[in-house]
Amino acid sequence: MDNSYQESNPTDYTYGDTGLEDISDSALDETIHDTHEEQIDSDSDFEFGAYFEELENTTNESYYPFPSKIFALLFLLVYSPHPMGRRNLTFVWFILKSMGVKTPSMSSVMAFKLPETEASLKHCTRDQVPFYCIPVSSIIRQSLGRPDIASAIVRHPVCTEDKYIEMFHGNRWHTDNRFMSPMVKLTDGTSCFVYDCVKVVYPLLGTTTGIIQKYFHKSCLKEVLAEVDILLDLAQFRQMVPDTTATHMDTDALILYHSSAVIAVRDILGFAEPPRIVVRWTPPNFSRMTLQETTSYLSPHPMKAKAAGKPVVMLPIILFSDDTSGNKSKKWHKFESWYMSLAGLPRHINARIENIHFLCCSDSVCPLDMSKPISEELVRLEQEGVVVYDALYKEMVLVIAPLMCIVCDNPRASELLNHLGSSAIKYCRICMCDKTENPDELSELRTMSLALQQIAEIEALRTEQEKIEMRKLYGVRETLNPLFSIHADLYRCLPIEVLHTLLLGICKYILKHVMSGLSARQKAEILARVKSFDISGFRTKMYGNVCQHYKSFVGRDFKGWSQMALFILGPYLDGGQTQVLLTFSKVFQIAYCEFFCVQLSEEWKGICCSFIDSVKTHMPLLLNKPKTHLILHLVDCMIDFGPSSAFSAESNAAYYVWHSNGRSARDSSYLSARNTQKGQKIYLKDLPLTLAGKQKNTLEELQSNSHNYNVQLGEHALTDKVLEYRALICSERSLVNSGENIEFVTSYDQFMYGILLATFTTHNAAWCLVQGILPLVSLDNQPILNPYDCPLLELSNTIFCTPSCNIKRPAPLVHECTDTCIFQETMQARTVERENILCSKLVFQHDWSNPTYCCNVYCTR
């Protein structure tokens, strides 16, 4: 590990021989000046001359922290991921100086250090085992220095009406003062802090005095809003409350008229003198604040003094911890690791590999010991902050970086909380639930203060046997934990992680329970049903034999299986198993929702309770699993942190799989390229179609098999010449082949389901023929549902001709099978020990004369 953290030096590498010796910069200058200047082609002179003139005219401020553009480019060349070596770099300098470019010396570029950057620091455990950790402040500095990241970071809480889409929509960001941004920049560029006394524009009054209480965004507005306490003088108050009884009041007193009034930041006109006397108005009474209350009410924000005139940026941190293998083979070589990301970034940006930052890893140090330098720095970043350059404000800012949450699997979460896990009587890390009495109910929530109190009681016991019994009773252990020094309730910082709780936990338990009771024939039928199942609307694909290899499935496999389990296993389940699987599918639907709806929180909690009740009745052994009980806390975590995808470990797991197993990345890239070449699918630049076009046909020939249908061609005629294609790329940027189910919009802006029949181009435009699938409704115009609470649909006789841009995405439709859908045995050739033999294979045949479908509401987007 020591060698892997050494800083690489370009002088240590030599790739190829340029024919030049290692020479000093002064000798290089002499060589260049003594070299005869040869004539260069005039075209080249013009192109390079204009480019070099641009380099010379570039201002230094444009490429902070580098002195100039040429310096920045040469620095990136010297410290590129593929070092060139001293000889190659010398040759580059020789070429540039030969062409008249004013270049800095090579030694100055090599010696240049980015301001306040730190390399990975060496730390040691109590047993003097070394490990290395990249400072969190270094990653913050790099992130805010990137214009794309700095502009994407959300710097104030975002209030939404009823939908939580991002982590910064959650209640935790709004209710915890640790995450409240303390300042905002006014229109004149000055910094206005919370608790500042300002002049504001108030309706019906004009300019008045206010005290800033909070800054926030609204999802429907781009501008920053402020909550302000409105203070009125006696004349203004009488204007707003004509029948007031306030007649005898000090002339310099201000009345607190409206608490937490919402105004736009643009309506803050500047700073005002703080009032000497503040009077509360609680209709119809007045009460004067005491001197101590007034001083506390008007005291400045503590960050204002620390900022010393600099803007303050609140940047909450998300930590991720897990173990991974250091081997490319299947042999496990465990490395404990820590990563981090910025909570203020939207999900689609935060999930990118380049925005998940590595902190430390070791194969010989436990995660708690590695967390010591991280927790110490987080305490310092929350209390004192760090001064960095902000590419958005284009100046130095003070960054405060509190811990938002820690994402990890359940065993790691228990370890980080000093919790015993499933071996404890109170086996839940979030509440004091007793698994022997009430595993299906919520109990008193654990807190940091309660945990410290229980640890103190355990340490006060005399004998080891008493301590063991007390540990099992409380579910905590008295391990030295550096994370407890963070100024946060750590038990509120570790949300339920759905990848390991739902997919690798409960889904695996249920599948194992069901498979153990099936015969060989039934397993063969299930495999045939899986192969005939339409997964074109899924984001995940199914691989392998689910009946034999489900024990070795990964999260991606269980995610795909959770979306189809009801429709595949339904005919083989009894009533109790069906109830358990149905309620689990609804929990899965909640866990992987696109957004969290606040108004449905109680309903969603009821669904989670229904799942626990069905498990208690029909699969009681599953209640002994802590992951089953954790479902009761899922909705509360989503209220605090937004939808579960905002705190899921899936993107972080993809990061360390990508970086720890290079063979997987290489093989997947090779297979993707090979499959693309094999399919001959090259996409047009302007039209979302493949170049697998057939000869020109007419629309009449395209719909010749549908002459009994109502074909709505719109502006097209049956005799129009068209070029047919096999597939298209829909608005969601996924490939849709002819014959697959889709979601589309008709020419009348009506959203519908359908089957893509053909894609063609005519008159330089792309069009599609789609056979509509309409919902079935009852007499009172309510959707008809199947036993799995999925709406039923029916294939219609109407074919729509719609522009290809109206094809939105693949549709997760499932054929509603009846007794006419049957199994057939076919003979298939297989190679066994170099011999070709015929084996029987079971195939499931859908009866497509049955036009009924259902919409799979459990399919994730």
Side-chain angles (χ1 to χ4, degrees):
M1 294 301 294
D2 293 349
N3 296 332
S4 62
Y5 286 90
Q6 291 179 357
E7 183 177 351
S8 60
N9 192 329
T11 60
D12 297 336
Y13 300 91
T14 300
Y15 291 101
D17 190 357
T18 62
L20 298 174
E21 301 293 336
D22 290 339
I23 56 178
S24 63
D25 293 324
S26 59
L28 179 61
D29 293 338
E30 294 176 2
T31 304
I32 293 172
H33 289 301
D34 294 340
T35 303
H36 177 68
E37 296 184 0
E38 299 181 356
Q39 295 294 330
I40 305 177
D41 181 70
S42 60
D43 293 338
S44 299
D45 278 342
F46 174 79
E47 294 174 2
F48 283 104
Y51 177 70
F52 294 144
E53 184 179 355
E54 179 189 353
L55 290 180
E56 294 175 1
N57 295 334
T58 303
T59 58
N60 296 343
E61 291 78 7
S62 302
Y63 294 93
Y64 175 87
F66 301 102
S68 63
K69 183 176 182 179
I70 186 64
F71 195 102
L73 294 173
L74 290 175
F75 181 85
L76 295 176
L77 178 66
V78 170
Y79 290 100
S80 66
H82 304 285
M84 294 184 63
R86 178 79 180 200
R87 291 185 177 181
N88 293 342
L89 291 174
T90 302
F91 186 64
V92 171
W93 253 262
F94 176 80
I95 294 175
L96 292 176
K97 290 189 176 182
S98 298
M99 302 180 70
V101 183
K102 296 179 181 180
T103 57
S105 65
M106 188 187 303
S107 57
S108 65
V109 175
M110 288 184 172
F112 183 80
K113 298 293 183 183
L114 296 176
E116 301 183 14
T117 55
E118 302 177 31
S120 56
L121 303 179
K122 183 176 181 179
H123 303 275
C124 291
T125 64
R126 288 174 296 175
D127 300 329
Q128 300 304 312
V129 180
F131 67 96
Y132 294 80
C133 183
I134 298 176
V136 176
S137 58
S138 179
I139 296 174
I140 292 175
R141 184 175 293 106
Q142 296 172 17
S143 300
L144 277 183
R146 292 175 52 186
D148 57 334
I149 298 299
S151 59
I153 291 175
V154 174
R155 300 169 184 245
H156 304 279
V158 180
C159 294
T160 60
E161 297 296 332
D162 59 346
K163 294 180 180 179
Y164 293 174
I165 303 176
E166 306 287 352
M167 181 174 287
F168 42 77
H169 294 159
N171 282 2
R172 185 171 177 82
W173 205 309
H174 295 266
T175 57
D176 196 333
N177 291 330
R178 296 169 54 243
F179 308 113
M180 296 294 180
S181 180
M183 60 78 59
V184 73
K185 277 198 168 188
L186 301 181
T187 54
D188 59 356
T190 58
S191 298
C192 183
F193 281 78
V194 172
Y195 307 145
D196 280 354
C197 185
V198 295
K199 298 177 182 178
V200 299
V201 177
Y202 191 70
L204 303 179
L205 282 177
T207 304
T208 186
T209 305
I211 305 295
I212 305 294
Q213 298 298 319
K214 175 184 176 182
Y215 292 113
F216 65 96
H217 275 290
K218 274 201 170 182
S219 58
C220 56
L221 300 174
K222 293 184 178 180
E223 60 181 345
V224 182
L225 303 178
E227 284 187 3
V228 184
D229 286 353
I230 302 298
L231 303 177
L232 307 181
D233 59 25
L234 187 56
Q236 291 174 327
F237 186 78
R238 287 174 176 171
Q239 180 181 348
M240 298 299 294
V241 188
D243 56 346
T244 180
T245 59
T247 55
H248 303 287
M249 194 172 294
D250 295 335
T251 57
D252 56 351
L254 294 183
I255 303 173
L256 179 55
Y257 169 71
H258 189 176
S259 179
S260 300
V262 177
I263 64 171
V265 170
R266 67 172 183 273
D267 292 333
I268 301 177
L269 304 180
F271 298 97
E273 285 294 329
R276 189 175 62 86
I277 301 173
V278 179
V279 178
R280 296 190 187 94
W281 178 55
T282 306
N285 301 319
F286 296 88
S287 61
R288 178 172 174 172
M289 287 187 181
T290 64
L291 179 61
Q292 183 178 1
E293 290 175 338
T294 304
T295 303
S296 175
Y297 180 67
L298 299 176
S299 60
H301 195 281
M303 285 298 169
K304 189 172 185 178
K306 293 181 180 180
K310 300 182 184 67
V312 179
V313 176
M314 191 65 61
L315 202 63
I317 300 298
I318 302 174
L319 292 180
F320 171 74
S321 179
D322 202 357
D323 56 354
T324 183
S325 177
N327 293 338
K328 293 183 178 180
S329 63
K330 290 185 178 181
K331 185 178 180 181
W332 189 257
H333 181 195
K334 186 170 73 171
F335 273 79
E336 304 290 356
S337 55
W338 283 88
Y339 308 88
M340 67 158 283
S341 57
L342 304 179
L345 288 175
R347 283 186 298 167
H348 69 280
I349 299 178
N350 222 352
R352 297 173 184 169
I353 295 296
E354 63 268 21
N355 295 327
I356 301 173
H357 305 281
F358 170 82
L359 291 178
C360 59
C361 74
S362 176
D363 60 347
S364 55
V365 181
C366 71
L368 275 180
D369 288 341
M370 282 195 293
S371 69
K372 183 177 180 181
I374 300 175
S375 57
E376 290 175 351
E377 188 177 15
L378 287 178
V379 172
R380 185 171 63 255
L381 288 174
E382 183 173 355
Q383 293 180 344
E384 303 174 4
V386 59
V387 178
V388 303
Y389 177 78
D390 189 347
L392 181 64
Y393 291 156
K394 300 187 185 313
E395 60 178 314
M396 305 300 290
V397 299
L398 176 65
V399 174
I400 307 298
L403 175 66
M404 172 61 70
C405 65
I406 302 177
V407 178
C408 54
D409 58 19
N410 293 291
R412 177 59 50 85
S414 296
E415 182 180 3
L416 299 181
L417 293 174
N418 282 20
H419 186 256
L420 286 182
S422 59
S423 62
I425 296 178
K426 293 181 172 56
Y427 66 164
C428 178
R429 70 170 191 269
I430 298 180
C431 72
M432 298 293 292
C433 169
D434 193 324
K435 67 179 180 181
T436 60
E437 296 180 1
N438 55 348
D440 57 333
E441 299 177 3
L442 294 176
S443 300
E444 176 190 2
L445 295 179
R446 296 180 184 269
T447 60
M448 185 66 70
S449 58
L450 178 62
L452 294 176
Q453 177 184 348
Q454 293 172 345
I455 291 174
E457 293 180 13
I458 296 174
E459 291 176 342
L461 297 177
R462 297 183 178 181
T463 64
E464 183 63 24
Q465 185 61 32
E466 291 176 338
K467 292 183 178 181
I468 293 175
E469 294 177 358
M470 193 62 68
R471 290 180 194 132
K472 289 185 177 181
L473 177 62
Y474 286 154
V476 297
R477 51 191 170 196
E478 60 277 23
T479 307
L480 183 63
N481 194 335
L483 293 173
F484 281 5
S485 62
I486 298 177
H487 297 281
D489 191 345
L490 208 60
Y491 286 86
R492 304 276 77 78
C493 294
L494 280 88
I496 305 300
E497 206 288 304
V498 295
L499 171 63
H500 297 87
T501 303
L502 257 69
L503 303 182
L504 299 176
I506 299 174
C507 181
K508 190 173 183 178
Y509 302 152
I510 295 176
L511 191 58
K512 180 180 179 181
H513 178 85
V514 173
M515 289 297 177
S516 62
L518 299 179
S519 63
R521 170 68 183 187
Q522 290 175 326
K523 292 181 179 180
E525 292 181 356
I526 288 176
L527 185 60
R529 287 179 177 271
V530 170
K531 291 187 178 299
S532 67
F533 195 85
D534 182 12
I535 59 174
S536 58
F538 285 21
R539 287 189 179 272
T540 56
K541 307 300 181 184
M542 290 297 298
Y543 302 94
N545 188 332
V546 64
C547 302
Q548 296 180 0
H549 306 140
Y550 66 89
K551 294 182 180 179
S552 59
F553 271 14
V554 295
R556 174 199 61 198
D557 302 318
F558 284 116
K559 188 174 184 179
W561 181 253
S562 299
Q563 300 171 64
M564 66 169 67
L566 271 175
F567 309 98
I568 301 295
L569 296 178
Y572 309 97
L573 302 178
D574 57 31
Q577 293 174 335
T578 302
Q579 182 64 22
V580 172
L581 193 55
L582 177 60
T583 53
F584 169 77
S585 297
K586 293 181 178 181
V587 172
F588 174 85
Q589 183 184 17
I590 294 173
Y592 283 93
C593 62
E594 294 184 4
F595 56 85
F596 175 76
C597 188
V598 182
Q599 298 176 352
L600 298 178
S601 58
E602 293 301 324
E603 179 182 344
W604 287 8
K605 287 182 180 180
I607 292 175
C608 294
C609 292
S610 299
F611 169 71
I612 298 298
D613 292 340
S614 62
V615 168
K616 181 179 180 181
T617 305
H618 306 289
M619 297 183 184
L621 293 179
L622 265 64
L623 279 182
N624 296 328
K625 306 289 186 179
K627 294 179 180 180
T628 306
H629 171 81
L630 287 176
I631 296 298
L632 295 174
H633 298 282
L634 177 62
V635 177
D636 289 329
C637 291
M638 297 173 73
I639 293 176
D640 286 341
F641 300 102
S644 61
S645 55
F647 52 88
S648 173
E650 294 183 21
S651 56
N652 296 278
Y655 175 92
Y656 66 71
V657 168
W658 181 276
H659 287 272
S660 65
N661 192 346
R663 182 176 300 174
S664 296
R666 182 193 64 189
D667 293 347
S668 61
S669 300
Y670 169 74
L671 290 175
S672 177
R674 186 182 65 179
N675 292 336
T676 301
Q677 182 180 6
K678 181 179 178 181
Q680 297 294 322
K681 294 179 180 178
I682 307 172
Y683 304 114
L684 291 174
K685 182 177 181 180
D686 299 324
L687 298 177
L689 302 171
T690 67
L691 286 181
K694 299 180 181 179
Q695 69 277 8
K696 285 191 174 181
N697 300 323
T698 63
L699 277 177
E700 185 176 11
E701 292 173 343
L702 285 184
Q703 57 91 36
S704 59
N705 296 328
S706 308
H707 58 275
N708 293 328
Y709 287 44
N710 177 21
V711 183
Q712 300 180 0
L713 297 179
E715 62 187 40
H716 300 288
L718 292 176
T719 57
D720 287 347
K721 291 290 186 178
V722 298
L723 181 64
E724 185 184 2
Y725 292 83
R726 289 202 301 257
L728 63 83
I729 299 179
C730 61
S731 302
E732 200 185 58
R733 307 303 301 167
S734 56
L735 188 68
V736 180
N737 296 293
S738 297
E740 292 183 347
N741 303 319
I742 58 169
E743 299 176 13
F744 73 103
V745 179
T746 65
S747 302
Y748 305 101
D749 294 332
Q750 180 184 5
F751 176 84
M752 289 185 62
Y753 293 109
I755 299 178
L756 181 63
L757 299 180
T759 303
F760 61 93
T761 55
T762 178
H763 306 303
N764 296 324
W767 297 82
C768 299
L769 290 180
V770 182
Q771 186 174 357
I773 301 179
L774 305 178
L776 295 177
V777 294
S778 60
L779 296 177
D780 55 352
N781 205 27
Q782 295 296 320
I784 300 177
L785 306 179
N786 69 355
Y788 305 138
D789 295 338
C790 296
L792 293 176
L793 307 102
E794 187 175 37
L795 189 65
S796 69
N797 292 334
T798 303
I799 297 179
F800 299 89
C801 184
T802 183
S804 62
C805 59
N806 287 350
I807 309 300
K808 298 304 179 182
R809 62 178 68 89
L813 302 184
V814 180
H815 185 248
E816 194 74 7
C817 294
T818 60
D819 295 339
T820 56
C821 299
I822 60 174
F823 293 96
Q824 292 182 352
E825 288 195 9
T826 60
M827 303 304 294
Q828 182 181 19
R830 293 180 57 188
T831 302
V832 179
E833 296 182 357
R834 300 182 181 180
E835 293 184 4
N836 292 330
I837 60 175
L838 293 177
C839 300
S840 62
K841 180 182 178 181
L842 204 61
V843 178
F844 186 68
Q845 296 288 347
H846 290 278
D847 180 15
W848 298 114
S849 62
N850 174 22
T852 307
Y853 292 79
C854 72
C855 180
N856 186 359
V857 297
Y858 309 112
C859 181
T860 61
R861 293 298 183 191

